[in-house]
Every structure is written in C-alpha cells, then in structure tokens.
C-alpha cells in the first residue's frame, strides 16, 4: 500500500444561499466547480491530461446540479478531455467522501493524480425544490420519508427535528447551544480578520475575470447571546407538518423509535448551519507520482473511515466515525492536534466534545458552519483545506475531519503534515 498526498487545496468564498440575495444567485452550479478546478490548475501547473479522475461531491443532483458535475465542470474549467470525472452523493458527507475515495485510489496504486472536491448551490437547490413541490412533484434526494417500506424499517425525520431530539435525549440546553454558536461566530470573525483562510481562498470570477465575490458573505460577527436568545425555534412547526394522508409527521417518526420522548425545540437559525453556496477542490497524488514529478506535498492522508449509526436520529455518527478512523491509524485523541467537525447543528459538536473528551480549544478553531455556512456537497472538502491551513499556521502535525450525513452516516479522515 502506497501513500496518498495532498498537494494543494482551494475554495471560493461561501455566498448566501438565497435566490436574489447571494452573490452567486443566477450562476450555473457547474461554474462554481469549474472555478476551483481552474484555480487548482493555475496554482500548481500540472498537466490536466494526467488527471486520472475528478471525484466530485454533490448532494442534490437535480436540475442544473445533475448530469455528472465532476466531468462537466472539468470540461468547463478547460481540463484536457482525457481527465475523467464522476459525481457522488453521501448527503452532507459528499465532499469528504470524494477526498477519501481519491485517497483510496492513490494509496491502492490504481490512480496517480486525482482532483477531489464538491459543490452545492443551495440558492438553486431550495428554489428548484420549492418549484417541484408547487407543481406537485416529489423532490428527489430525500432521506427515506417518502419510502413507505423503508419508513417502517427505519423511520427518518427532518434533520432539524433530529437535532432537537438529540439535545432532548442528551440533556443539552439551548443556553449551551447558543454559547457554542456565539463562539463559532467569534472564531470565524477572528480568522477572517487575521487572514487565516487566505491560502486556500480564491475569488469567484465571471468569464471576463471580473470578481463576483472575494470574501465570506454569511458570517454575522455582531451576534450576541441576547440576540440569539430572541430567535424562535426553527423546527417546532416543521415537526408537526403532515407528511401523508395518515397524519405522519416528523415528530411521530422519531417517537416511533423513541416513544415518550418530549422533544424540546432548541435549535434556530443562529445555532444551526448557514444556508450558502460554495465549492472546494483538492489535488491528491500517489507516492509514485510525487516522486516522478518532484512535487512537494503539503500533507499525507493517514487513514479514512465511514460509519453508519441510527438513521432515525441521523446526526450521531461523527463520534463512532472518529473512533473508527483513530483505531485504523493506531492513534488516540491525544495524537490529534486539530479537529474539524461540521457544525450542522450546535448539538452535533457540543455532543462530540462531550463524548470524545477533547478540549474546545482544538476543535473548529476558526469557527464552523454556524458562522460560515454549510454548502452541503462542498463542506467536507472545505474542512480538509481548513484544517491543513491551520496545521501549517500553528506548525502542528495531525488533523481529523468528520461530519454527520443524512441517513445516519459519517465519513472521517486523518491527515498529517509532511
């Protein structure tokens, strides 16, 4: 088994994911992907004809986000036609899974040079889904609520209702979640002010080279605890919306597995991940390719893992995934210098800190999706670049990335600076 190396990582700024409000509104989703693919080539000068595959994550593969974005974006970016491409979906874990798949190919000696990453244009996805619902067409890409047979086996609820259910089961208060959310905003504001994202960040530009966006559009650095306390819970009404003629609701789906649970609605827009558009890409090479081309890697991929967990609660797989990837690497939590765990909802990271027994000073040190936003299929790739940049900035050695995904899953990855 050979090694897989990260040569570089790039991303565009995250834009507000609402039609007519975000900077990327009206842009084709493939253009976001093409921008980071082109930037990766511009920065590193590799021969795109030698790219064995572009492995791309995209969760909502419908409408303009359908049609194998990995291949089409590579063509849009000017890659040689010999650079193949594929697109995958592991819901929120799509971008990280793309990186893990690329690493596995390189480590196995099956491929030598790969690009991995992801894109999600939430402004388009939400608008497209709303139009489908208005037309009476079921939206593709669901997590099992529309499949009656699967529902009987594994009832799956709305992710926000799941977050509230987990907080209720774990005895985690809204005050604790809000305090975590405020800290995410504070850390993100500091990171932006100090230029901590500068190495990976490339501006989004149009075909004429005009800058569309060169900074993070979502953060709210003026957030206060008082302002967070005034926000209404976001998922109380959603929990009781009828899903079918039998009166099934998201709340009832959870109660099928956890009867008698009193779900306290503690998550809201301020302690949940932001809805944004974004894209990110990493250049990954095998050990033999690095040696042949005289490349200088930034990091080595130590181990990857995938873990399934209860699909009814959906969001609890990051802890077992982290433990699994640590065991594969022969490491303990003390061997990890920095952790990136996606802030899908504040309860995910608050529970992770509690269960793993790690200090908050090592986790999401530059804020997370609560402050910066969560472009579903791109986030995992973004987090790998984020932890790599920060390991270099602090002159540290190892980082671990994991994130929850719909269906009760979590991919995980450990990298080590070279």
């Amino acid at each position: 088994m050979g090694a897989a190396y990260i040569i570089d990582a790039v991303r565009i700024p995250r834009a507000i994911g609402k039609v007519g409000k975000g900077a990327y509104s009206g842009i084709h989703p493939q253009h976001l992907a093409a921008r980071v693919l082109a930037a990766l080539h511009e920065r590193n000068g590799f021969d795109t004809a030698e790219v064995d595959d572009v492995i791309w994550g995209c969760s909502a593969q419908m409408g303009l986000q359908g049609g194998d974005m990995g291949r089409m974006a590579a063509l849009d970016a000017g890659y040689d036609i010999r650079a193949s491409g594929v697109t995958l979906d592991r819901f929120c874990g799509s971008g990280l899974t793309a990186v893990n798949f690329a690493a596995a190919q390189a480590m196995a000696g099956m491929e030598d040079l790969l690009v991995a990453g992801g894109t999600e244009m939430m402004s388009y996805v939400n608008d497209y889904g709303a139009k489908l619902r208005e037309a009476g067409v079921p939206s593709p890409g669901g997590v099992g609520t529309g499949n009656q047979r699967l529902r009987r086996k594994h009832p799956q609820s709305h992710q926000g209702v799941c977050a509230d259910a987990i907080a209720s089961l774990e005895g985690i208060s809204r005050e604790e979640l809000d305090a975590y959310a405020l800290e995410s905003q504070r850390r993100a504001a500091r990171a932006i002010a100090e230029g901590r994202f500068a190495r990976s960040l490339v501006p989004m530009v149009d075909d004429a080279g005009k800058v569309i966006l060169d900074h993070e559009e979502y953060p709210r650095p003026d957030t206060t605890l008082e302002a967070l306390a005034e926000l209404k819970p976001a998922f109380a009404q959603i929990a009781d919306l009828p899903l079918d003629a039998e009166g099934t609701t998201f709340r009832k789906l959870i109660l099928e597995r956890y009867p008698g649970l009193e779900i306290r609605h503690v998550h809201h827009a301020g302690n949940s991940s932001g809805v944004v558009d974004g894209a990110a890409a990493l250049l990954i090479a095998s050990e033999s390719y690095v040696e042949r081309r005289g490349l200088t890697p930034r990091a080595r991929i130590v181990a990857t893992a995938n873990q399934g967990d209860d699909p009814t609660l959906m969001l609890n797989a990051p802890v077992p995934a982290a433990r699994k990837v640590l065991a594969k690497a022969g490491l303990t939590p003390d061997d990890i210098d920095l952790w990136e765990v996606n802030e899908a909802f504040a309860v995910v990271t608050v529970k992770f800190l509690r269960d793993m027994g790690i200090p908050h000073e090592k986790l999401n040190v530059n804020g997370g999706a609560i402050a910066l936003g969560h472009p579903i299929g791109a986030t995992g790739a973004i987090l790998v670049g984020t932890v790599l940049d920060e390991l270099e900035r602090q002159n540290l050695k190892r980082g671990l990335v994991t994130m929850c995904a719909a269906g009760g899953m979590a991919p995980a990855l450990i990298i080590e600076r070279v």
Side-chain angles (χ1 to χ4, degrees), residues 166-167 169-172 176 180 309 313 315-324 326 332-334 339 341 346-360 363 400 402 404:
I166 293 168
L169 285 165
E170 297 289 332
I172 298 173
E176 190 174 357
Y180 180 91
D309 199 77
L313 291 179
L315 310 174
N316 279 339
V319 168
R323 289 173 174 160
K324 184 176 182 179
L326 285 168
T332 71
D334 290 339
W339 305 69
V341 179
V347 73
V348 175
T349 38
V350 169
K351 184 177 184 296
F352 190 93
L353 287 166
R354 178 188 294 183
D355 291 357
M356 293 298 296
I358 60 175
H360 194 184
L363 183 139
L400 188 152
T402 188
C404 57

Side-chain angles (χ1 to χ4, degrees), residues 174 178-179 182 222-232 268:
R174 171 164 171 164
D178 284 356
L182 182 66
D222 56 348
T223 299
T224 64
L225 277 178
E226 293 74 19
L228 291 173
E230 292 177 359
L231 295 175
K232 293 181 179 180
H268 49 76

Side-chain angles (χ1 to χ4, degrees), residues 47-315:
D47 183 354
T48 60
E50 295 184 352
V51 174
D52 294 304
D53 215 359
V54 175
I55 305 178
W56 212 248
C58 181
S59 182
Q61 294 180 37
M62 55 187 182
L64 298 179
Q65 288 202 163
D68 189 359
M69 193 183 300
R71 170 61 170 173
M72 298 306 152
L75 294 174
D76 190 359
Y79 277 36
D80 191 282
I81 60 172
R82 287 168 286 185
S84 185
V86 65
T87 304
L88 59 85
D89 172 16
R90 199 195 295 276
F91 301 110
C92 295
S94 300
L96 184 54
T97 296
V99 175
N100 288 357
F101 281 8
Q105 290 281 77
M107 294 169 78
M110 294 293 102
E111 309 283 15
D112 280 321
L113 186 65
L114 304 108
V115 176
T119 302
E120 206 80 41
M121 197 157 177
M122 299 299 292
S123 58
Y124 171 75
V125 170
N126 290 338
D127 183 58
Y128 185 86
K131 290 176 180 176
L132 287 179
R133 289 190 295 274
E134 289 172 5
V137 180
S139 178
V143 295
T145 54
N147 183 333
Q148 295 294 338
R149 189 174 71 175
L150 178 57
R151 182 187 294 178
R152 288 192 294 270
K153 295 177 180 179
H154 296 289
Q156 297 178 60
S157 186
H158 184 280
Q159 61 267 31
V161 182
C162 292
D164 287 341
I166 293 168
S168 301
L169 285 165
E170 297 289 332
I172 298 173
S173 69
R174 171 164 171 164
E175 289 74 19
E176 190 174 357
L177 301 175
D178 284 356
Y180 180 91
L182 182 66
E183 180 64 8
S184 180
Q185 293 283 358
R186 188 192 70 80
R187 292 181 179 194
R190 179 186 62 191
I192 292 168
E194 295 180 0
R196 295 188 184 185
F197 300 136
R199 179 160 188 178
S200 292
L201 201 64
V202 296
M204 182 63 196
V205 298
D206 63 16
D207 290 342
K210 181 181 178 181
V211 173
I212 296 171
L213 186 66
D214 62 1
H215 63 278
E216 300 290 346
E217 198 173 39
Y218 186 80
R220 297 174 174 85
D222 56 348
T223 299
T224 64
L225 277 178
E226 293 74 19
L228 291 173
E230 292 177 359
L231 295 175
K232 293 181 179 180
F235 307 108
Q237 289 184 324
I238 292 173
D240 296 312
L241 289 175
L243 301 174
D244 54 30
E246 286 73 42
T248 303
T249 65
F250 287 124
R251 187 187 307 277
K252 288 180 180 178
L253 289 170
I254 290 178
L255 295 181
E256 286 180 25
R257 289 290 306 276
Y258 298 89
L261 174 64
E262 182 181 350
I263 300 176
R264 296 179 296 103
H265 294 288
V266 292
H267 285 89
H268 49 76
N271 61 23
S272 304
S273 55
V275 178
V276 297
D277 303 333
L282 291 93
L283 185 63
I284 295 173
S286 68
E287 188 171 15
S288 61
Y289 189 88
V290 166
E291 291 173 354
R292 290 200 310 272
R293 293 290 180 264
L295 301 179
T296 304
R298 295 175 61 189
R300 179 176 68 91
I301 295 173
V302 177
T304 71
N306 297 295
Q307 182 69 50
D309 199 77
D310 179 11
T312 299
L313 291 179
M314 193 185 299
L315 310 174

